[in-house]
Amino acid sequence: MARAIYPGSFDPMTLGHLDIIRRASKLFDEVIMAVVGNPGKSPLLPMDIRKNLIEESVKDLRGVKVEEFQGLTVDYAKATNTTVLIRGLRAISDFEAELGMAQANKQLFPELETIFLMTKAEYSFISSSTVKEIARLGGDVSQFVPHPVNDYLREHFSRGTKQK
Ligand code: ADP
């Protein structure tokens, strides 16, 4: 069985992430979306919420599992007996960091292959940080994120505004 891991912060999941996981799920029997919970990253969304929102967003995709992990991606890959990592590339600016990470990971776990899927042009400018910034300032992010994420962000930030 061909299995891959798609690791990330997914803080929150966007339509760019959804597009990558949808395409990856056609290439592999099983793809684990591995949500990283390393301390020090200080995400906006708590782990359980990030996971729930992903689960709701991918529920129609075959062979996609959502798991949480801490520590190094290579250690998680070894622990789950997986030798393929999926990463998405949006622009040249992603490439430099991703190349370094892929090379370091290869050094740490030589059997590991990183496979890059290029973003669909329409999602190439979408990042979790942009989405958070727009939502925080009261903007509409419905065209950038799956429905469950949109509902959560609307609720989260409107609550914040009401409290002020
Ligand atoms: P990380 O903190 O590990 O970069 P992210 O959640 O930001 O985690 O992203 C996870 C993966 O998804 C990365 O490979 C990233 O390049 C990719 N990605 C993020 N946004 C998009 C997008 N709009 N289109 C395609 N891939 C994307």
Side-chain angles (χ1 to χ4, degrees), residues 99-111:
L99 177 68
M101 210 146 47
Q103 285 171 335
N105 285 340
K106 185 91 185 149
Q107 198 89 342
L108 295 168
F109 182 14
E111 289 81 31

Side-chain angles (χ1 to χ4, degrees), residues 8-158:
S9 311
F10 308 112
D11 182 40
M13 182 178 200
T14 69
L15 290 183
H17 296 131
L18 184 58
D19 175 52
I20 297 290
I21 189 67
R22 185 178 284 133
R23 287 156 58 198
S25 73
K26 292 183 187 150
L27 301 173
F28 295 90
D29 302 306
E30 184 176 289
V31 186
I32 306 174
M33 279 191 83
V35 189
V36 65
N38 283 345
K41 270 231 168 187
S42 42
L44 171 74
L45 281 66
M47 172 58 80
D48 55 333
I49 292 181
R50 274 185 284 156
K51 261 184 80 182
N52 286 346
L53 293 176
I54 298 172
E55 271 157 4
E56 278 183 58
S57 309
V58 302
K59 61 176 191 276
D60 296 334
L61 298 181
R62 193 191 47 85
V64 175
K65 282 182 23 185
V66 186
E67 302 286 351
E68 150 187 5
F69 80 106
Q70 294 205 344
L72 287 175
T73 308
V74 286
D75 290 337
Y76 182 71
K78 283 180 192 167
T80 53
N81 237 328
T82 311
T83 54
V84 179
L85 273 194
I86 304 284
R87 296 288 287 174
L89 281 182
R90 282 163 293 190
I92 294 283
S93 47
D94 277 347
F95 179 78
E96 237 173 61
E98 291 291 342
L99 177 68
M101 210 146 47
Q103 285 171 335
N105 285 340
K106 185 91 185 149
Q107 198 89 342
L108 295 168
F109 182 14
E111 289 81 31
L112 190 71
E113 295 297 348
T114 305
I115 295 187
F116 294 101
L117 296 180
M118 310 294 162
T119 182
K120 231 178 176 173
E122 62 202 275
Y123 301 136
S124 61
F125 65 93
I126 303 179
S127 69
S128 299
S129 353
T130 308
V131 163
K132 281 182 280 193
E133 187 62 7
I134 297 172
R136 191 174 66 80
L137 296 170
D140 174 13
V141 293
S142 57
Q143 49 194 317
F144 307 137
V145 296
H147 292 300
V149 176
N150 185 47
D151 293 346
Y152 174 83
L153 290 176
R154 256 216 323 251
E155 165 70 18
H156 176 85
F157 286 110
S158 76

